[in-house]
Amino acid sequence: MKKLICLIAFLTVSTICFAQDADLKHYYDPIQGFDGWAMSEYIDSVKKEDVIGLENIFLEFMDKEISDQTGLTSIPKLTKKNTWLLKQALNEWDYEPGEVYLVLCADSQYAKNGIAIFAVIKGKNDYLWRAYSISENDLDKFLQ
């Protein structure tokens, strides 16, 4: 359990310090009528023996830690648009099993509300996630 607590702390710090491409990108699909902004940030690659097969337990632990630290509760289901934005943002990366990403989705580049999604990659187009509805003020909670 101590490993997971250290990992959560590392994930938060590495997101802040090592952001590669922290700008929201615009995605548009005229056929489906989807239009939105998203960014994805690689957090870390966790050891396969620590996470593979235990992705749900890892996300449940992370969900509890985020809830305890920020007061945010996870969203049980994403809209089709947010699911599409999540996929678009993750496809910016050459992801592999065991990697963890943070994806932010919003309706506009300057939106004050959005969705924060933590995704653990299980395989090609296969990942588990936990999402949180966040506002501009909630971002400070994530960064503390």
Side-chain angles (χ1 to χ4, degrees), residues 9-51:
F10 176 75
L11 295 177
T12 303
V13 171
S14 65
T15 299
I16 297 164
C17 296
F18 303 108
Q20 278 189 22
D21 191 10
D23 293 330
L24 288 170
K25 292 184 180 181
H26 183 246
Y27 297 99
Y28 177 65
D29 184 341
I31 294 170
Q32 296 184 73
F34 295 148
D35 183 19
W37 293 77
M39 63 148 286
S40 57
E41 189 60 45
Y42 168 78
I43 302 293
D44 196 12
S45 179
V46 291
K47 293 181 183 176
K48 292 183 186 211
E49 61 268 13
D50 288 343
V51 173

Side-chain angles (χ1 to χ4, degrees), residues 59-74:
L59 283 172
E60 287 171 12
F61 173 79
M62 208 164 92
D63 188 34
K64 182 180 177 341
E65 289 297 309
I66 288 172
S67 177
D68 289 349
Q69 298 297 322
T70 66
L72 298 174
T73 56
S74 60

Side-chain angles (χ1 to χ4, degrees), residues 19-130:
Q20 278 189 22
D21 191 10
D23 293 330
L24 288 170
K25 292 184 180 181
H26 183 246
Y27 297 99
Y28 177 65
D29 184 341
I31 294 170
Q32 296 184 73
F34 295 148
D35 183 19
W37 293 77
M39 63 148 286
S40 57
E41 189 60 45
Y42 168 78
I43 302 293
D44 196 12
S45 179
V46 291
K47 293 181 183 176
K48 292 183 186 211
E49 61 268 13
D50 288 343
V51 173
I52 301 302
L54 303 173
E55 293 93 348
N56 274 326
I57 294 170
F58 173 75
L59 283 172
E60 287 171 12
F61 173 79
M62 208 164 92
D63 188 34
K64 182 180 177 341
E65 289 297 309
I66 288 172
S67 177
D68 289 349
Q69 298 297 322
T70 66
L72 298 174
T73 56
S74 60
I75 300 169
K77 190 166 176 130
L78 295 175
T79 64
K80 288 180 182 181
K81 176 182 169 180
N82 284 325
T83 300
W84 174 79
L85 281 171
L86 170 62
K87 289 177 184 177
Q88 298 307 306
L90 284 177
N91 283 334
E92 296 287 336
W93 296 89
D94 184 20
Y95 55 81
E96 296 179 12
E99 293 179 342
V100 180
Y101 291 85
L102 171 64
V103 178
L104 298 176
C105 303
D107 288 333
S108 76
Q109 188 175 10
Y110 304 107
K112 295 187 185 269
N113 298 308
I115 304 287
I117 306 167
F118 288 93
V120 178
I121 307 300
K122 290 180 70 175
K124 179 75 174 152
N125 293 319
D126 187 16
Y127 47 85
L128 296 172
W129 56 267
R130 287 291 187 276

